Amino acid sequence: MVVYRNIQNTHRPTTASLTMVIKVGTSSICDETSHYPLLGNLSRIVETIIKLKKMGHRVVLVTSAAVGTGLRRLNMVEKPKRLSSIQAIAAVGQGRLMSMYDDLFDQFNQPVAQILLTRNDLADRAQYLNAVNCLEELLDMGVVPIVNENDSISVKEIKFGDNDTLSAITAGMVKADYLFLMTDVDCLYTDNPRSNPEARPVLVCEDIERLKDQVNVSAQGSALGTGGMITKLVAADLATAAGVTTIIARGAVPENILPIIDPTDPKSIPLHTRFVAKPQPLVDRKWWILHGLHTAGTVYVETDAAIQDENDLLVSSISKVEGSFVEHQAVRLVVLHKNEPVTVAKGIVNYSSAEIMRIMLAKQSNLDDSLGYKDANCIINRDNMAISL
């Protein structure tokens, strides 16, 4: 098996160096019932990262468990329902979590850095690029960046949703070669192997949409976590679009990463699921539009042809607008296929939802005549549109 390399990655200290993102879930860090840290697991994760760095690789760790760690510190049995309480518990737990990582990495004299993100941080292009530059600089310094969502200030509108998605976006930001989603099973199965003895492992996937029709991933995540297997498919979809090979593997055995990326003996490769990266990944700006920006509304277009061949989107091609958004926000572009809405692209609008509807009601393509002013010649410029088909 050939070692994969992302063609977009130009930050390699050596030709053999790989950049990888390892995502560790709450179930690998905290006991689900007692909330005590699983120090054995954490130590193995840290030792694996140290070995990878000694091999010349660059590693980013995406971690969960701020809430679980906070519950233990505050002697609370269950995660509360109220958002402000969860945010407060995460604020307590994040410091303790980083302290544990810092202590463990310090045994190997390995510096670490904390990066806390929300989707809002990446919505502005300049802030997104600043975050990318910070991560790249840390990796060039030999530091292990430890990334988590900033749960203390996150609300529904600006959350990534779960750390699987955050890890995929982080992998795209650093143009990683590999994203490892460490979970409580060896790989993706066609059904839950705990309840269905006939469930079969999925070893390689090249088409995630087709795979979704073949597997049952309805099982939820742990009581402390927010994810499940379905979120890992979403994360794999995001990462592979950025040219990142994505692996699902068992979190309790993090040292399995080593033979997966360096398969000297094919028979010794542990069970895992490999999602093959797209051979022509999206360029950085298009990928940022698709996955870094919050979707503020929906614009229905008449036909696929309206956005093909990198054309600007004109008001004459729009049939309906849903949601309330302002200029420079991102919207989904949807086409009706057999009366079913299909998302075909995402773009940054030059006009608000109210302005677009005024133009449509006036039934005029001349923006000056419809609005009395013209900020741009089109609704979405082709450079601000990313096609998702």
Side-chain angles (χ1 to χ4, degrees):
M1 187 181 296
V2 178
V3 177
Y4 172 76
R5 285 179 171 78
N6 189 339
I7 59 173
Q8 297 191 101
N9 191 326
T10 58
H11 280 261
R12 299 186 192 277
T14 67
T15 55
S17 175
L18 297 172
T19 300
M20 60 192 74
V21 174
I22 301 172
K23 184 266 176 179
V24 182
T26 302
S27 61
S28 298
I29 299 171
C30 286
D31 183 270
E32 190 171 342
T33 305
S34 69
H35 312 320
Y36 278 111
L38 302 175
L39 292 175
N41 276 9
L42 285 168
S43 297
R44 294 171 79 174
I45 292 164
V46 169
E47 288 178 24
T48 299
I49 292 173
I50 295 299
K51 289 177 183 176
L52 289 168
K53 287 192 62 61
K54 285 183 177 178
M55 295 166 67
H57 304 313
R58 309 190 313 160
V59 184
V60 179
L61 176 64
V62 176
T63 183
S64 301
V67 173
T69 305
L71 289 172
R72 175 66 263 160
R73 185 70 182 91
L74 296 170
N75 293 317
M76 297 176 68
V77 177
E78 294 182 350
K79 183 167 74 172
K81 304 292 184 185
R82 194 170 60 185
L83 176 61
S84 59
S85 298
I86 297 172
Q87 290 173 324
I89 291 167
V92 173
Q94 181 62 35
R96 298 286 290 185
L97 183 63
M98 276 304 300
S99 177
M100 282 194 295
Y101 278 123
D102 193 39
D103 287 345
L104 290 168
F105 276 106
D106 193 48
Q107 304 304 311
F108 303 93
N109 198 29
Q110 172 61 54
V112 297
Q114 174 179 258
I115 303 285
L116 297 178
L117 296 173
T118 68
R119 191 177 285 277
N120 216 33
D121 296 322
L122 308 182
D124 179 80
R125 180 66 177 170
Q127 286 183 247
Y128 170 84
L129 292 175
N130 284 340
V132 170
N133 291 337
C134 179
L135 284 166
E136 290 289 0
E137 195 68 30
L138 288 168
L139 291 170
D140 288 345
M141 289 177 175
V143 176
V144 175
I146 300 179
V147 180
N148 197 358
E149 182 155 15
N150 195 348
D151 292 321
S152 298
I153 62 170
S154 289
V155 293
K156 183 179 179 182
E157 290 76 15
I158 62 172
K159 283 183 71 68
F160 292 102
D162 57 84
N163 277 13
D164 293 324
T165 303
L166 174 60
S167 67
I169 290 175
T170 303
M173 291 169 70
V174 299
K175 299 176 177 59
D177 302 293
Y178 288 93
L179 166 63
F180 284 88
L181 300 173
M182 311 305 286
T183 184
D184 54 1
V185 291
D186 293 308
C187 62
L188 174 67
Y189 286 84
T190 53
D191 201 351
N192 189 340
R194 297 186 182 95
S195 57
N196 183 358
E198 296 184 0
R200 293 174 288 104
V202 177
L203 302 181
V204 179
C205 173
E206 296 184 1
D207 188 335
I208 294 175
E209 286 304 314
R210 186 184 301 173
L211 178 67
K212 288 177 182 177
D213 297 329
Q214 301 170 356
V215 299
N216 176 15
V217 290
S218 58
Q220 298 296 307
S222 70
L224 296 178
T226 58
M229 200 55 75
I230 186 62
T231 66
K232 288 168 180 56
L233 287 185
V234 172
D237 203 12
L238 301 188
T240 53
V244 182
T245 289
T246 304
I247 307 290
I248 292 178
R250 182 175 285 276
V253 197
E255 51 269 28
N256 282 349
I257 292 173
L258 300 168
I260 290 174
I261 63 166
D262 187 20
T264 52
D265 179 8
K267 294 181 180 178
S268 67
I269 299 175
L271 189 62
H272 65 280
T273 299
R274 178 183 298 258
F275 296 89
V276 179
K278 297 288 193 296
Q280 295 180 314
L282 289 167
V283 295
D284 180 69
R285 180 174 172 80
K286 301 287 187 179
W287 190 85
W288 168 73
I289 291 171
L290 272 179
H291 306 302
L293 293 180
H294 168 66
T295 303
T298 301
V299 171
Y300 286 79
V301 295
E302 297 284 0
T303 63
D304 294 351
I307 61 166
Q308 298 300 330
D309 301 322
E310 296 190 349
N311 293 320
D312 295 336
L313 179 65
L314 304 176
V315 71
S316 57
S317 302
I318 297 174
S319 60
K320 186 170 70 169
V321 175
E322 286 184 353
S324 177
F325 50 86
V326 298
E327 64 272 21
H328 308 312
Q329 285 192 305
V331 299
R332 287 190 310 146
L333 299 181
V334 170
V335 173
L336 290 177
H337 286 172
K338 298 180 180 178
N339 293 323
E340 289 293 324
V342 177
T343 300
V344 293
K346 188 172 173 180
I348 302 171
V349 291
N350 294 321
Y351 293 92
S352 69
S353 52
E355 289 171 324
I356 295 172
M357 287 189 283
R358 279 176 59 190
I359 300 166
M360 292 171 64
L361 287 172
K363 296 183 179 179
Q364 294 173 345
S365 59
N366 188 312
L367 300 178
D368 275 327
D369 292 343
S370 303
L371 297 174
Y373 55 87
K374 181 171 69 174
D375 291 336
N377 293 321
C378 58
I379 303 303
I380 300 177
N381 186 279
R382 62 180 177 272
D383 293 332
N384 287 332
M385 189 188 312
I387 295 173
S388 55
L389 279 178

PDB file of all heavy atoms in Angstrom, residues 1 214 267 322 331 359 381:
ATOM      1  N   MET A   1       0.841  -1.187   0.000  1.00  0.00           N
ATOM      2  CA  MET A   1       0.000   0.000   0.000  1.00  0.00           C
ATOM      3  C   MET A   1       0.883   1.246   0.000  1.00  0.00           C
ATOM      4  O   MET A   1       1.787   1.387   0.814  1.00  0.00           O
ATOM      5  CB  MET A   1      -0.922  -0.014   1.226  1.00  0.00           C
ATOM      6  CG  MET A   1      -1.963   1.092   1.225  1.00  0.00           C
ATOM      7  SD  MET A   1      -2.993   1.035   2.710  1.00  0.00           S
ATOM      8  CE  MET A   1      -3.803  -0.549   2.473  1.00  0.00           C
ATOM      9  N   GLN A 214     -25.682   2.073   2.056  1.00  0.00           N
ATOM     10  CA  GLN A 214     -25.334   0.675   2.310  1.00  0.00           C
ATOM     11  C   GLN A 214     -25.101   0.359   3.778  1.00  0.00           C
ATOM     12  O   GLN A 214     -24.977  -0.804   4.149  1.00  0.00           O
ATOM     13  CB  GLN A 214     -24.073   0.309   1.509  1.00  0.00           C
ATOM     14  CG  GLN A 214     -24.227   0.496   0.016  1.00  0.00           C
ATOM     15  CD  GLN A 214     -22.907   0.353  -0.724  1.00  0.00           C
ATOM     16  OE1 GLN A 214     -21.847   0.180  -0.119  1.00  0.00           O
ATOM     17  NE2 GLN A 214     -22.960   0.423  -2.064  1.00  0.00           N
ATOM     18  N   LYS A 267       0.256  -7.595   6.013  1.00  0.00           N
ATOM     19  CA  LYS A 267      -0.478  -8.504   6.887  1.00  0.00           C
ATOM     20  C   LYS A 267      -0.594  -7.971   8.316  1.00  0.00           C
ATOM     21  O   LYS A 267      -1.428  -8.422   9.092  1.00  0.00           O
ATOM     22  CB  LYS A 267       0.205  -9.874   6.893  1.00  0.00           C
ATOM     23  CG  LYS A 267       0.144 -10.597   5.547  1.00  0.00           C
ATOM     24  CD  LYS A 267       0.819 -11.953   5.629  1.00  0.00           C
ATOM     25  CE  LYS A 267       0.750 -12.673   4.284  1.00  0.00           C
ATOM     26  NZ  LYS A 267       1.446 -13.997   4.323  1.00  0.00           N
ATOM     27  N   GLU A 322     -35.169  31.832   0.616  1.00  0.00           N
ATOM     28  CA  GLU A 322     -35.608  31.420   1.949  1.00  0.00           C
ATOM     29  C   GLU A 322     -34.618  31.922   2.985  1.00  0.00           C
ATOM     30  O   GLU A 322     -33.408  31.913   2.764  1.00  0.00           O
ATOM     31  CB  GLU A 322     -35.702  29.889   2.055  1.00  0.00           C
ATOM     32  CG  GLU A 322     -36.888  29.301   1.339  1.00  0.00           C
ATOM     33  CD  GLU A 322     -36.988  27.796   1.547  1.00  0.00           C
ATOM     34  OE1 GLU A 322     -36.042  27.210   2.141  1.00  0.00           O
ATOM     35  OE2 GLU A 322     -37.978  27.197   1.105  1.00  0.00           O
ATOM     36  N   VAL A 331     -24.892  31.537   1.383  1.00  0.00           N
ATOM     37  CA  VAL A 331     -26.192  30.884   1.213  1.00  0.00           C
ATOM     38  C   VAL A 331     -26.020  29.600   0.413  1.00  0.00           C
ATOM     39  O   VAL A 331     -25.076  29.453  -0.363  1.00  0.00           O
ATOM     40  CB  VAL A 331     -27.203  31.805   0.487  1.00  0.00           C
ATOM     41  CG1 VAL A 331     -27.451  33.079   1.283  1.00  0.00           C
ATOM     42  CG2 VAL A 331     -26.737  32.133  -0.934  1.00  0.00           C
ATOM     43  N   ILE A 359     -35.900  42.931  -6.040  1.00  0.00           N
ATOM     44  CA  ILE A 359     -35.521  42.859  -7.461  1.00  0.00           C
ATOM     45  C   ILE A 359     -36.411  41.861  -8.190  1.00  0.00           C
ATOM     46  O   ILE A 359     -36.887  42.117  -9.304  1.00  0.00           O
ATOM     47  CB  ILE A 359     -34.039  42.469  -7.611  1.00  0.00           C
ATOM     48  CG1 ILE A 359     -33.133  43.499  -6.942  1.00  0.00           C
ATOM     49  CG2 ILE A 359     -33.669  42.333  -9.086  1.00  0.00           C
ATOM     50  CD1 ILE A 359     -31.699  43.022  -6.758  1.00  0.00           C
ATOM     51  N   ASN A 381     -20.935  36.549  -7.304  1.00  0.00           N
ATOM     52  CA  ASN A 381     -19.829  36.507  -8.253  1.00  0.00           C
ATOM     53  C   ASN A 381     -19.271  35.097  -8.344  1.00  0.00           C
ATOM     54  O   ASN A 381     -19.203  34.379  -7.344  1.00  0.00           O
ATOM     55  CB  ASN A 381     -18.740  37.482  -7.806  1.00  0.00           C
ATOM     56  CG  ASN A 381     -17.628  37.608  -8.826  1.00  0.00           C
ATOM     57  OD1 ASN A 381     -16.745  36.774  -8.891  1.00  0.00           O
ATOM     58  ND2 ASN A 381     -17.676  38.675  -9.625  1.00  0.00           N
TER      59      ASN A 381
END
